[in-house]
Amino acid sequence: MEFSLNALLNAAVSKDSRFLILNSLFPISLLEQKTFSKMSYKIEPLPDSYAGLGEGPHWDVARQSLYYVDLEAGSLLRYDYGQNKVYKTKIEGETLAGFVLPVEGRPQEFAVGCGRRVVIVNWDGVSTSAKVVRTLFEVQPLMEKNRLNDAKVDPRGRFFGGTMRYIGDEFEFRHGELYRWEAGGQVSVIKGDVGISNGLAWDEKAKKFYYIDTTDYEVKSYDYDFETGVASNPKVIFNLRKNSPKDHLLPDGLTIDTEGNLYVATFNGATIYKINPNTGKILLEIKFPTKQITSAAFGGPNLDILYVTTAAKFDQPAPAGTTYKVTGLNATGYPGVNLKV
């Protein structure tokens, strides 16, 4: 008696049974088995979490909250895990907010990218308005068509962030730069010739720094000295180019788990790719019901929830702009680091 593969799979009573049937017919590697076992993730929207250009998710352990921005609205948002509620504020007098980084030891102060300035904003996390109290530093003061984009804090409390062309074609005019700043010091240019400065992540175990310039369609790794903050020896570890330039995927934000795997958001791909940076292999594709996936960060009490921001640019339909949580990944990450000023 003959059975079709579909009939066998339909007769299986569980996912594990189906897996055993498939593996007996088409043996797969241990790594692929591990990936298969992690495919039962769940994606859920956060309540009232819309941001037209959501970016910069940062998990704050002390407040059990996810901070992120609505970049082109000049707004900050805070998702309170315990309350399952999102609070939103508008920064007075500002039209842009590229990122939000809590300041070490000052619970109501945040470093925010407003235009080409990194400013300190005072916000209690609840009020509907927030105020700039001072400017920390400014970059490219004469480059009026540029703005700060993504930024993060390295494990030692240093600022890393970069700029991009804001008016005009950022793929044609690569006038952006990547910067490092630390308390008591000056701003240093880490890299020039940047189109869209985007995702950043660090791995202390591997002594690596990871960086995305969206216009390069790739993720690069650097050797990283955590004592000096110096990155060196760039190497392409993940290439998102396709056969036709119009099909190239646009890498955006980036995060890392405790096993050293990277999670790469794609602005035009409706997907976050979990990759092994040592091999460049895709371990998992996390699919979303909207196209413009901007960034991700681990959070929650056990740091095992992946929070994901999206955008609703260029008339993308709902649920574009929704912020999501992804559970069931069998992975944990690192909390955001506060900026030392």
Side-chain angles (χ1 to χ4, degrees):
M1 183 179 295
E2 294 184 357
F3 292 93
S4 70
L5 177 58
N6 284 337
L8 284 169
L9 293 177
N10 289 334
V13 296
S14 69
K15 182 182 76 174
D16 290 340
S17 299
R18 293 192 293 273
F19 172 71
L20 290 172
I21 292 170
L22 284 170
N23 197 33
S24 66
L25 295 172
F26 312 104
I28 61 177
S29 69
L30 182 61
L31 175 61
E32 290 170 319
Q33 291 179 36
K34 187 176 180 182
T35 298
F36 187 97
S37 70
K38 292 185 177 182
M39 290 178 65
S40 58
Y41 60 82
K42 183 178 181 181
I43 295 176
E44 300 171 273
L46 299 184
D48 301 317
S49 60
Y50 177 86
L53 180 49
E55 277 283 9
H58 177 108
W59 182 257
D60 185 279
V61 171
R63 286 167 279 210
Q64 288 294 290
S65 292
L66 180 78
Y67 289 89
Y68 61 106
V69 302
D70 189 346
L71 198 155
E72 294 179 340
S75 295
L76 311 180
L77 298 95
R78 180 179 72 89
Y79 168 68
D80 187 300
Y81 178 87
Q83 298 179 19
N84 193 33
K85 180 178 180 179
V86 174
Y87 295 89
K88 184 174 184 177
T89 190
K90 177 74 172 67
I91 305 173
E92 294 181 10
E94 301 294 341
T95 58
L96 299 169
F99 52 83
V100 54
L101 304 170
V103 173
E104 180 72 22
R106 300 177 185 179
Q108 294 193 14
E109 291 193 356
F110 301 86
V112 180
C114 294
R116 296 175 306 283
R117 296 169 297 129
V118 176
V119 301
I120 300 299
V121 172
N122 187 283
W123 184 39
D124 62 7
V126 176
S127 302
T128 56
S129 88
K131 292 184 178 181
V132 174
V133 294
R134 66 185 184 279
T135 296
L136 204 56
F137 60 86
E138 183 177 7
V139 298
Q140 298 184 313
L142 302 180
M143 300 288 286
E144 296 181 355
K145 296 180 179 180
N146 278 18
R147 66 163 173 80
L148 285 158
N149 200 40
D150 204 359
K152 284 186 181 177
V153 179
D154 85 349
R156 298 294 188 271
R158 305 179 186 95
F159 170 93
F160 275 73
T163 52
M164 60 173 282
R165 185 84 165 191
Y166 180 51
I167 300 171
D169 187 347
E170 58 269 46
F171 286 80
E172 178 183 357
F173 300 101
R174 296 174 60 91
H175 294 164
E177 295 176 326
L178 175 65
Y179 307 96
R180 179 184 68 234
W181 177 89
E182 56 186 307
Q186 301 296 315
V187 179
S188 302
V189 177
I190 301 300
K191 186 181 186 303
D193 187 36
V194 171
I196 304 175
S197 188
N198 246 319
L200 312 103
W202 289 263
D203 187 337
E204 286 198 79
K205 298 174 187 174
K207 298 181 180 178
K208 294 291 184 181
F209 165 60
Y210 300 101
Y211 176 63
I212 290 173
D213 176 348
T214 299
T215 58
D216 288 338
Y217 309 106
E218 59 195 22
V219 182
K220 289 187 176 75
S221 73
Y222 293 76
D223 295 331
Y224 191 72
D225 187 325
F226 284 85
E227 300 312 311
T228 64
V230 173
S232 60
N233 302 322
K235 176 185 176 183
V236 176
I237 59 166
F238 189 50
N239 188 342
L240 290 93
R241 293 178 182 84
K242 301 299 180 182
N243 292 331
S244 172
K246 67 181 178 62
D247 296 325
H248 291 343
L249 289 174
L250 301 175
D252 199 326
L254 177 69
T255 195
I256 188 170
D257 68 23
T258 55
E259 294 182 351
N261 300 308
L262 301 179
Y263 297 72
V264 181
T266 55
F267 186 77
N268 62 340
T271 304
I272 285 181
Y273 291 93
K274 176 181 179 179
I275 66 166
N276 180 330
N278 298 314
T279 64
K281 295 290 182 64
I282 297 172
L283 304 179
L284 181 65
E285 297 182 15
I286 307 171
K287 298 292 186 178
F288 292 84
T290 187
K291 186 177 183 180
Q292 298 171 348
I293 313 304
T294 57
S295 195
F298 280 96
N302 300 313
L303 297 173
D304 58 355
I305 302 171
L306 188 68
Y307 291 101
V308 178
T309 51
T310 71
K313 296 277 287 180
F314 315 120
D315 299 318
Q316 286 289 306
T322 299
T323 305
Y324 293 93
K325 66 176 181 179
V326 185
T327 54
L329 290 171
N330 294 326
T332 57
Y334 300 100
V337 180
N338 293 344
L339 180 65
K340 294 181 178 179
V341 300

